[in-house]
């Protein structure tokens, strides 16, 4: 039998997420073929042999059990957000001192001067690199390697630092995020992060297993991370902040279009569980999905008709996946018309139904799965996967029984996850916030350009399908100065950068509370920021683009102190 570490890393074993109450289905299964790890107080990760339990053949593997795949949300502003005013105020003078800022991303260039203190020592207290298996994992975890600030300082004093701490950020995304949130002051480069006095904790995420990439038909060249590793990263950071006795701000700048977009995935539920924890805040990137044509909002007129969803598939596509979500008590079902005119009549929706359809006129293979009651959200989800789809316009005919409104939503994968790009012909730019940004408790940011005071062209828009207010506010995220992989600075744009700036602001608020023996929780900090957000008379708030307004942390203190 493989050990737990091998199961976690090997593509021979599938990783599945379950609520503890569902563990009973393994009573008649040999322990030789499975093992599990704790993800959160509610969920555990089950490892199953892919040979014994092929994913596509298992009826007891539900939609929410299969880890969703997440990717990066990004490729002048400090003044606009009120951060400089806070740092220079003689009564406040806030810089994030005493606060831990946690990142789950592509790692960090720990040798960059932006992450050193005035004595030249590292401000990074821990790095958990999930991709390196030669070191010692964190206590209570079975994979990856953990490096302490002592080891990092030893590496920095060496001529060959990576022989001591071999963790690297090959993408630069994680380094940019960390720098924007809490990079140190560099007067020569005219640079400062939002909270330059804070401490850092870094989780470098390992990339998703190949069986999941294949199942979802995701682009093999883009960095993709699986939900279970994100949940492990949050568990690690929560454990670390308890050990260090420091308040924590969590920056989440990865996203996915998978899920109901109502904040109901296992990862979403884990974040919501933390909403009242004292000394804790979490910030999510809203995404850059406007203009990508990856969301369709539909409405079936009555039970005798259908709504047609048109999907444009270019030449040389190996495949793609899509999800259709509807709200009970309505029951949705689908039929298809291929670009060559072959018709698949309406496939009745039945509990737990999975079907593979091979088309006669071309090589396309279509897999369809009906889940009438998704195990966490309670909504209906129809999962579609096209392999070797014929180029042209595919028509998905959506039908509705138990009719009330006939409204449904469907999403294609987040941009860059399908190559060449697949699009909806009649797409809807709204309800394009990526998950976990639709989760109710985290502070979710849209992106604007501080140079022209306009919303960023690609910034995802709210609200959620059930009408909840997302984004919460807008933050600068266009052409921000950020540390790069070459010990210098570059320019960064995207919703992840807006989230990083907001993360730094949360660290300032936590520091202010900490100095007054008060540990704010996430709900309090979000309210604090919303009250101080800058609003104009030309916009109706809350707005699908701006949320409750533009981030202005100095104004938040002004409002608070004046009341």
């Amino acid at each position: 039998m493989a050990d737990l570490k091998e199961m976690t890393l090997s593509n021979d074993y599938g990783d599945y997420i379950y609520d503890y109450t569902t563990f009973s289905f393994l009573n008649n299964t040999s322990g030789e073929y499975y093992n599990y790890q704790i993800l959160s107080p509610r969920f555990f990760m089950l490892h199953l042999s892919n040979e014994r339990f092929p994913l596509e053949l298992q009826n007891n593997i539900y939609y929410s059990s299969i880890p969703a795949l997440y990717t990066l949300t990004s490729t002048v502003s400090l003044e606009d957000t009120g951060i400089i005013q806070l740092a220079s105020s003689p009564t406040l003078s806030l810089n994030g001192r005493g606060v831990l800022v946690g990142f789950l991303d592509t790692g960090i260039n720990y040798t960059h001067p932006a992450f050193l203190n005035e004595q030249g020592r590292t401000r990074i207290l821990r790095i958990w690199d999930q991709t390196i298996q030669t070191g010692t994992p964190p206590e209570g975890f079975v994979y990856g390697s953990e490096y302490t600030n002592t080891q990092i300082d030893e590496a920095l004093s060496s001529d060959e630092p990576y022989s001591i701490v071999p963790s690297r950020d090959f993408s630069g995304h994680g380094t940019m995020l960390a720098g924007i949130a809490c990079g140190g002051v560099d007067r020569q480069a005219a640079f400062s992060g939002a909270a330059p006095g804070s401490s850092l904790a870094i989780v470098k995420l390992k990339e998703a297993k190949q069986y999941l990439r294949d199942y979802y038909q995701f682009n093999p060249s883009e960095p993709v991370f699986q939900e279970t590793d994100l949940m492990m990263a949050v568990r690690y950071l929560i454990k670390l902040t308890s050990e260090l006795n420091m308040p924590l701000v969590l920056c989440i700048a990865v996203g996915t279009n998978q899920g109901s977009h109502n904040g109901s995935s296992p990862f979403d539920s884990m974040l919501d569980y933390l909403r009242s924890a004292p000394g804790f805040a979490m910030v999510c990137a809203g995404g850059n999905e406007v203009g990508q044509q990856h969301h369709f909002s539909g409405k079936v007129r009555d039970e005798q008709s259908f709504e047609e969803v048109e999907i444009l598939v270019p030449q040389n596509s190996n495949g793609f996946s899509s999800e259709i979500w509807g709200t009970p008590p309505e029951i949705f079902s689908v039929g298809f018309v291929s670009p060559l005119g072959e018709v698949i009549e309406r496939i009745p929706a039945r509990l737990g139904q999975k079907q593979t359809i091979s088309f006669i006129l071309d090589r396309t293979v279509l897999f369809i799965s009906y889940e009438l009651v998704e195990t966490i959200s309670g909504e209906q989800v129809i999962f579609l996967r096209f392999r070797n789809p014929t180029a042209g316009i595919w028509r998905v005919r959506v039908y509705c029984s138990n009719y009330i409104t006939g409204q449904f939503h469907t999403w294609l994968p987040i941009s860059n996850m399908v190559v060449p790009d697949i699009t909806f012909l009649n797409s809807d730019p709204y309800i394009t916030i990526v998950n976990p940004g639709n989760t109710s408790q985290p502070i979710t940011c849209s992106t604007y350009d501080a140079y022209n005071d306009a919303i960023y062209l690609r910034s995802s828009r709210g609200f959620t399908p059930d009408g909840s207010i997302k984004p919460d506010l807008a933050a600068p995220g266009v052409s921000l100065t950020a540390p790069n992989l070459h010990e210098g600075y570059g320019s960064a744009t995207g919703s992840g950068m807006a989230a990083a700036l907001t993360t730094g602001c949360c660290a300032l608020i936590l520091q202010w509370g900490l100095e007054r023996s008060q540990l704010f929780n996430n709900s309090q900090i979000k309210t604090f920021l919303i009250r101080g957000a800058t609003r104009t008379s030309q916009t109706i708030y809350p707005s699908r683009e701006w949320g409750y307004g533009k981030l202005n942390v100095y104004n938040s203190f002004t409002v608070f102190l004046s009341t």
Side-chain angles (χ1 to χ4, degrees), residues 293-300 306-312 320 322-324 333-337 384 386 393-399 408-412 423-427:
Q293 297 179 267
H294 286 189
H295 169 243
F296 180 90
S297 178
K299 182 177 176 63
V300 183
F306 57 81
E307 171 82 343
E308 203 160 69
V309 182
E310 295 181 318
I311 305 175
L312 178 61
F320 66 97
S322 181
E323 300 173 6
I324 300 172
S333 54
V334 292
F336 303 89
V337 181
L384 306 175
F386 293 79
I393 298 174
W394 283 84
R395 293 174 171 85
V396 182
R397 292 175 171 175
V398 182
Y399 302 83
F408 66 92
H409 296 274
T410 179
W411 288 271
L412 291 164
T423 58
F424 292 119
L425 287 186
N426 297 303
S427 61

Side-chain angles (χ1 to χ4, degrees), residues 520-542:
F520 294 118
N521 63 31
N522 186 82
S523 298
Q524 292 171 309
I525 293 173
K526 180 159 69 171
T527 300
F528 198 73
L529 291 176
I530 286 173
R531 283 181 175 165
T534 303
R535 289 175 275 274
T536 67
S537 58
Q538 290 78 32
T539 303
I540 298 175
Y541 299 96

Side-chain angles (χ1 to χ4, degrees), residues 344-380:
I344 302 297
E345 298 294 345
R346 180 180 186 178
I347 303 170
R350 297 188 178 93
L351 189 66
Q353 179 179 356
K354 297 180 180 180
Q355 186 171 340
T356 300
I357 300 169
S358 296
F359 287 78
I360 298 172
L361 300 179
D362 56 27
R363 299 185 302 118
T364 303
V365 177
L366 170 63
F367 172 80
I368 177 173
S369 172
Y370 284 120
E371 195 159 317
L372 299 187
V373 184
E374 196 272 313
T375 53
I376 297 179
S377 67
E379 299 179 46
Q380 182 190 0

Side-chain angles (χ1 to χ4, degrees), residues 86 190 214-215 271 281 285 288 294 317 373 504 540:
L86 278 185
D214 294 343
Y215 181 74
L271 297 179
N288 312 297
H294 286 189
S317 172
V373 184
I540 298 175

Side-chain angles (χ1 to χ4, degrees), residues 227-257:
E227 189 172 11
T228 48
D229 288 320
L230 270 69
M231 295 176 75
M232 281 292 193
V234 172
R235 179 185 160 209
Y236 168 77
L237 291 169
I238 293 298
K239 181 174 180 289
L240 179 62
T241 193
S242 177
E243 292 173 359
L244 298 175
N245 193 28
M246 297 176 70
L248 171 70
V249 190
L250 188 62
C251 181
I252 304 173
V254 293
T256 183
N257 266 346

Side-chain angles (χ1 to χ4, degrees), residues 36-315:
Y36 70 96
Q37 298 180 67
I38 295 172
L39 292 171
S40 75
R42 178 179 175 183
F43 296 101
F44 66 92
M45 172 170 53
L46 183 67
H47 304 290
L48 290 174
S49 164
N50 281 334
E51 181 180 3
R52 180 71 181 269
F53 301 97
L55 172 56
E56 296 180 11
L57 301 181
Q58 294 303 309
N59 291 327
N60 54 6
I61 294 177
Y62 309 113
Y63 170 84
S64 61
S65 300
I66 305 170
L69 298 185
Y70 294 70
T71 190
L72 310 177
T73 56
S74 301
T75 52
V76 156
S77 307
L78 298 184
E79 294 89 343
D80 208 59
T81 55
I83 294 170
I84 285 184
Q85 293 92 319
L86 278 185
S88 59
S89 169
T91 57
L92 294 171
S93 189
L94 300 176
N95 65 1
R97 184 177 52 254
V99 177
L100 185 66
V101 183
F103 301 88
L104 40 157
D105 212 270
T106 63
I108 192 169
N109 175 13
Y110 69 84
T111 65
H112 198 290
F115 308 116
L116 307 180
N117 62 21
E118 294 178 354
Q119 291 74 43
R121 301 175 70 86
T122 186
R123 292 167 46 224
I124 304 169
L125 300 188
R126 295 289 188 281
I127 297 175
W128 177 28
D129 192 321
Q130 295 180 348
T131 71
I132 298 176
Q133 311 308 323
T134 55
T136 304
E139 183 179 356
F141 297 81
V142 301
Y143 67 107
S145 300
E146 183 184 45
Y147 304 99
T148 67
N149 55 319
T150 301
Q151 291 171 298
I152 298 170
D153 279 332
E154 181 185 353
L156 291 172
S157 63
S158 169
D159 293 334
E160 297 182 2
Y162 295 110
S163 66
I164 300 171
V165 176
S167 181
R168 294 175 181 257
D169 177 10
F170 294 105
S171 160
H173 189 268
T175 298
M176 291 188 294
L177 288 177
I180 290 169
C182 43
V185 177
D186 186 332
R187 290 180 174 82
Q188 185 175 355
F191 170 81
S192 174
S198 58
S199 301
L200 294 82
I202 308 298
V203 179
K204 179 178 178 179
L205 299 167
K206 73 175 180 66
E207 293 210 27
K209 291 184 177 180
Q210 190 61 43
Y211 85 96
L212 285 173
R213 285 180 175 269
D214 294 343
Y215 181 74
Y216 291 120
Q217 304 273 262
F218 272 21
N219 179 7
S221 67
E222 289 292 320
V224 178
F225 314 104
Q226 65 188 61
E227 189 172 11
T228 48
D229 288 320
L230 270 69
M231 295 176 75
M232 281 292 193
V234 172
R235 179 185 160 209
Y236 168 77
L237 291 169
I238 293 298
K239 181 174 180 289
L240 179 62
T241 193
S242 177
E243 292 173 359
L244 298 175
N245 193 28
M246 297 176 70
L248 171 70
V249 190
L250 188 62
C251 181
I252 304 173
V254 293
T256 183
N257 266 346
Q258 295 175 256
S260 69
H261 288 64
N262 281 324
S264 59
S265 74
F267 187 42
D268 299 337
S269 300
M270 182 183 194
L271 297 179
D272 262 347
Y273 178 82
L274 299 167
R275 63 186 180 273
S276 299
F280 178 75
M282 45 191 161
V283 179
C284 291
N288 312 297
E289 289 300 291
V290 166
Q292 303 304 313
Q293 297 179 267
H294 286 189
H295 169 243
F296 180 90
S297 178
K299 182 177 176 63
V300 183
R301 293 190 302 274
D302 52 55
E303 293 200 14
Q304 284 69 51
S305 62
F306 57 81
E307 171 82 343
E308 203 160 69
V309 182
E310 295 181 318
I311 305 175
L312 178 61
V313 178
Q315 296 283 350

